[in-house]
Amino acid sequence: MPSLRRRVTVWYAVALGATVLVFGTALYVERRQSSVREIDQRLFIEADFARRWLNESYRVYAGQVIRGGEGRELEQAIAANFEGVRDFLVVSDRRGDYLYLNEPTRRLNFAAVEALTALLTPPPAATDSGTIVDPVEGNLRFLRMPIADAGPEVGAVLVAARTSDVSFGPEDLLRSMLLIGPVILLGSIAVGYFLAGRALAPLRAMRDELEAITDGRSLHRRLAVPMSGDEFARLAVTVNATIARLERSFASLRRFTADASHELKTPLMVLRAGVERALTQPGIPAESLEGLDQSLDHLNQMSELVDNLLMLARADEGRATLAVEPCDLRALVADTGETAEMLGEAAGVRVTVDVPPDPVMLPVDASRIRQLLLNLVTNAVKYTPNGGEVGLALADLGHELVITVRDTGVGIAAGDLPHIFDRFYRADPARSRAGDRPGTGLGLAITKWIAEAHGGEIAVQSRPGRGTAFTVRLPRPPGPA
Ligand code: ADP
């Protein structure tokens, strides 16, 4: 199950990632636009400089150009002045053929030079700028400017620059973001995970406390209400109120069960004594005898149910005490084995008993342990069909004693296994309640209580159709044997 902490962190990371992405994209777009503006300004200054210089030099050298017809000095002067321009610079004549390429332009690849000079054919009518894409040089931003006042020869000037050629251009920004972005993101996720953990810590503490409280026996306890006065504090107050209500209704339920079973006990005893007495009367007709027999059976079942209910109610209230004294468990198990053999004989089930050769002494409440053993073996016989087997065994492991009751009976479905120790739980009730396996579903709840009241535990393993094994472990208290 994905934890809330992880979910919060993932959402945080998604939100942060989206923010970084949007912010980065905006920054990138803005940087791109401003780098174009930056380049355009530079190109304009350079083109304007070239235009003014050509104009000026035409006035100085004009006579010479016209006289010599070659313009050598002008050419040299152009070269001397324009070689230093850092961007690409092209001067063209009035037809659009280039007159001069500065040094960076001459170093460009041929296709790029072609593309740039083509921009001057025909010469532009007005100053404008744009971008061309060259597969080798990348994006080239250009600005072309007509020159009308530099003699009959010069037509226009074009300056161009790589769009990447600005200090900290968009590409630099992108590279930095790709480099730093993941680091920032990972760092923030780690911090987010840590913070989510801290924020949810009170919730975790509350859950642990609540788990300990709702095990059924600790409903008198309450959650600690955090001093913070925040949502967690309010939650704790609400949960405490709910536990208090639960505690009250559990208490009244327990009281009712205890009172009702107590009140039922005496009339049931009187009834049973009456029926037993009636059964011993001579000359009772056969039908009446049968009816009385059945009544006695039902009365016995009811007394057992009432006894069990009373015991569990007392256990819940903490009033069920154990009369603990050293007992020989081997004798207890062997006794129960005899009863089981009798039950097995009636049901066509073979019963085997396996106990150690020597007495096994343990301080226990003998009558409770007898009840535990009887519950397990009667169940084993009850849920094992004719021809099956039931084995009762006791093993002394030194630090603990292990009682095992196994059978080759109907088994318990995996879905029922976790519930069979619950009160009134009966697997497949339709099969057993009305049929030949009467019961109340309280036996195992009591068995578990007895095992735990002795500091021990009970476990079950079962395979439907193959059989069931109950294992009770009773710890041997430390001390002299
Ligand atoms: P019940 O009075 O119904 O026997 P228990 O508390 O003793 O009540 O047992 C609860 C349920 O556990 C029974 O209804 C039965 O379905 C199942 N169960 C107990 N022991 C065995 C067993 N040895 N084999 C198969 N099912 C069993």
Side-chain angles (χ1 to χ4, degrees):
M1 182 193 72
S3 73
L4 183 57
R5 182 183 189 180
R6 235 172 291 157
R7 269 211 313 268
V8 168
T9 311
V10 168
W11 279 114
Y12 172 70
V14 168
L16 189 76
T19 311
V20 168
L21 200 72
V22 169
F23 182 69
T25 311
L27 208 65
Y28 177 74
V29 169
E30 157 57 22
R31 186 72 205 114
R32 250 175 92 132
Q33 283 169 355
S34 74
S35 78
V36 167
R37 275 199 304 276
E38 208 176 289
I39 290 177
D40 280 1
Q41 271 169 15
R42 198 173 80 204
L43 293 181
F44 184 81
I45 291 169
E46 285 168 347
D48 198 47
F49 161 74
R51 183 187 64 76
R52 273 191 279 130
W53 192 87
L54 284 165
N55 176 347
E56 184 65 27
S57 58
Y58 172 65
R59 284 202 279 116
V60 174
Y61 295 102
Q64 184 194 0
V65 173
I66 293 161
R67 263 202 315 274
E70 287 177 340
R72 293 286 308 158
E73 280 185 45
L74 175 59
E75 211 176 289
Q76 277 167 9
I78 289 177
N81 267 282
F82 293 169
E83 278 313 81
V85 174
R86 68 182 259 216
D87 291 319
F88 312 115
L89 186 143
V90 181
V91 179
S92 70
D93 65 15
R94 300 230 155 160
R95 285 195 308 277
D97 294 335
Y98 69 86
L99 288 174
Y100 167 76
L101 306 176
N102 74 341
E103 201 261 342
T105 317
R106 293 198 296 278
R107 278 197 279 115
L108 276 174
N109 75 71
F110 184 70
V113 176
E114 284 272 277
L116 285 180
T117 51
L119 288 169
L120 292 171
T121 323
T127 304
D128 66 353
S129 56
T131 307
I132 58 167
V133 184
D134 182 82
V136 184
E137 312 292 344
N139 286 357
L140 293 173
R141 186 78 187 160
F142 69 84
L143 182 138
R144 50 191 175 177
M145 185 183 275
I147 302 176
D149 50 4
E153 272 213 280
V154 178
V157 65
L158 175 138
V159 271
R162 288 190 185 89
T163 51
S164 58
D165 188 15
V166 279
S167 61
F168 202 68
E171 279 72 26
D172 300 315
L173 180 71
L174 194 65
R175 213 169 308 120
S176 311
M177 283 195 306
L178 287 180
L179 224 68
I180 302 171
V183 176
I184 293 181
L185 208 63
L186 281 181
S188 311
I189 289 173
V191 172
Y193 188 69
F194 170 73
L195 289 181
R198 283 202 54 167
L200 294 175
L203 196 63
R204 263 202 310 277
M206 230 181 253
R207 188 208 52 200
D208 291 347
E209 276 182 74
L210 206 54
E211 226 162 41
I213 291 175
T214 49
D215 70 348
R217 277 186 287 275
S218 312
L219 281 177
H220 58 281
R221 285 173 50 185
R222 294 289 176 271
L223 291 181
V225 179
M227 297 292 283
S228 50
D230 58 8
E231 287 84 349
F232 289 126
R234 288 202 290 279
L235 180 66
V237 170
T238 314
V239 169
N240 278 345
T242 312
I243 298 174
R245 269 204 300 279
L246 263 180
E247 188 189 14
R248 278 197 298 277
S249 42
F250 264 88
S252 49
L253 192 69
R254 267 202 304 268
R255 214 166 311 123
F256 170 76
T257 317
D259 291 351
S261 26
H262 191 75
E263 294 300 320
L264 282 170
K265 231 172 129 82
T266 320
L268 272 176
M269 255 162 56
V270 174
L271 264 175
R272 197 163 63 177
V275 173
E276 276 169 353
R277 205 173 323 111
L279 271 171
T280 55
Q281 299 296 313
I284 304 179
E287 318 79 83
S288 307
L289 207 60
E290 200 180 321
L292 282 173
D293 248 349
Q294 276 177 5
S295 302
L296 191 63
D297 276 353
H298 287 303
L299 278 171
N300 281 338
Q301 269 175 34
M302 272 174 79
S303 307
E304 195 187 313
L305 173 65
V306 165
D307 280 349
N308 286 342
L309 275 178
L310 193 59
M311 205 204 95
L312 282 172
R314 282 196 181 134
D316 286 343
E317 287 179 334
R319 287 197 294 123
T321 47
L322 295 180
V324 176
E325 50 186 41
C327 292
D328 178 10
L329 269 199
R330 187 186 66 143
L332 275 178
V333 172
D335 271 1
T336 318
E338 278 171 27
T339 314
E341 275 160 12
M342 269 155 42
L343 289 171
E345 228 166 87
V349 173
R350 200 168 80 91
V351 176
T352 56
V353 184
D354 180 11
V355 289
D358 299 318
V360 176
M361 298 308 290
L362 193 74
V364 292
D365 182 328
S367 66
R368 300 283 191 218
I369 294 294
R370 186 174 285 116
Q371 189 178 6
L372 171 150
L373 291 166
L374 268 176
N375 281 351
L376 291 180
V377 294
T378 40
N379 271 352
V381 173
K382 187 160 74 172
Y383 294 104
T384 302
N386 202 321
E389 277 181 33
V390 167
L392 170 63
L394 170 70
D396 187 351
L397 301 186
H399 67 291
E400 65 177 5
L401 303 178
V402 181
I403 299 165
T404 326
V405 179
R406 27 177 108 251
D407 63 59
T408 59
V410 295
I412 302 166
D416 291 320
L417 264 189
H419 306 291
I420 55 162
F421 295 107
D422 294 349
R423 290 172 196 185
F424 298 109
Y425 190 88
R426 308 197 70 209
D428 198 359
R431 182 192 65 190
S432 41
R433 196 179 295 276
D436 52 359
R437 293 175 179 134
T440 57
L442 282 180
L444 285 181
I446 288 178
T447 306
K448 185 170 169 1
W449 177 80
I450 295 173
E452 288 175 355
H454 283 85
E457 57 185 27
I458 181 165
V460 60
Q461 281 183 315
S462 185
R463 286 180 66 186
R466 300 288 290 275
T468 307
F470 284 91
T471 313
V472 179
R473 296 175 178 280
L474 299 175
R476 175 173 269 136

